[in-house]
Amino acid sequence: MNEIIDQLQELSETVPVPLELPTFEQLVEVEEQILIGLPNDLKEFLLYASDVIYGTLEPVTVADPHSHTYLPEVTSYAWSIGMPRDQIAICQVGDGFYCINEEGEVQFWEDGDFNEDGWESLWDWVEDVWLEQ
């Protein structure tokens, strides 16, 4: 995991207004908003790598509630269009969502169904999807 975080930080693009990393308290606030505990991998990602800007995918963030990538808003929208309530959105792609369950498994959900692709952890998804785009 640390190697992946280091790789993400190295690849991160420099932008005029960089993203901020959240505090642990902000993670707790997000959990209270969505009424689901965040899996450990997602917490680690949010605390140490959610400030990375790389490629075309924009994973969720929690430091800025006004951001279009704010986890509670992205997840609430996904739930409103049918994504199962036991899933947390980690990245919106068009009309679909990469999402994670409480066990930390990642899947892609779109049009009411999960596709056959899945990843055992968020870090597997980062390596296989985000870093390979």
Side-chain angles (χ1 to χ4, degrees):
M1 173 214 40
N2 289 334
E3 293 172 11
I4 297 170
I5 291 173
D6 291 342
Q7 184 178 4
L8 284 170
Q9 294 293 347
E10 287 174 21
L11 292 170
S12 187
E13 300 170 21
T14 302
V15 294
V17 182
L19 297 173
E20 294 181 17
L21 291 173
T23 63
F24 186 77
E25 289 76 23
Q26 288 173 308
L27 294 185
V28 172
E29 289 173 17
V30 163
E31 288 177 321
E32 290 171 353
Q33 287 179 31
I34 65 172
L35 303 174
I36 296 179
L38 301 176
N40 287 335
D41 284 353
L42 182 55
K43 285 181 186 178
E44 290 171 355
F45 168 78
L46 292 168
L47 286 170
Y48 303 112
S50 63
D51 62 340
V52 171
I53 297 174
Y54 173 71
T56 57
L57 295 181
E58 295 181 282
V60 293
T61 59
V62 297
D64 180 3
H66 303 291
S67 172
H68 67 284
T69 57
Y70 188 56
L71 186 149
E73 294 298 322
V74 176
T75 297
S76 294
Y77 173 69
W79 289 339
S80 77
I81 62 170
M83 188 178 79
R85 192 78 169 73
D86 64 341
Q87 300 289 319
I88 300 168
I90 59 168
C91 186
Q92 183 172 359
V93 179
D95 294 331
F97 296 85
Y98 288 101
C99 53
I100 192 168
N101 62 24
E102 288 186 86
E103 289 76 43
E105 301 160 334
V106 176
Q107 293 181 286
F108 186 75
W109 181 88
E110 186 175 33
D111 295 328
D113 280 319
F114 292 102
N115 74 7
E116 57 203 44
D117 295 332
W119 298 268
E120 289 186 24
S121 75
L122 178 74
W123 302 113
D124 290 339
W125 174 81
V126 167
E127 285 186 302
D128 292 348
V129 178
W130 194 17
L131 291 175
E132 294 299 320
Q133 61 174 332

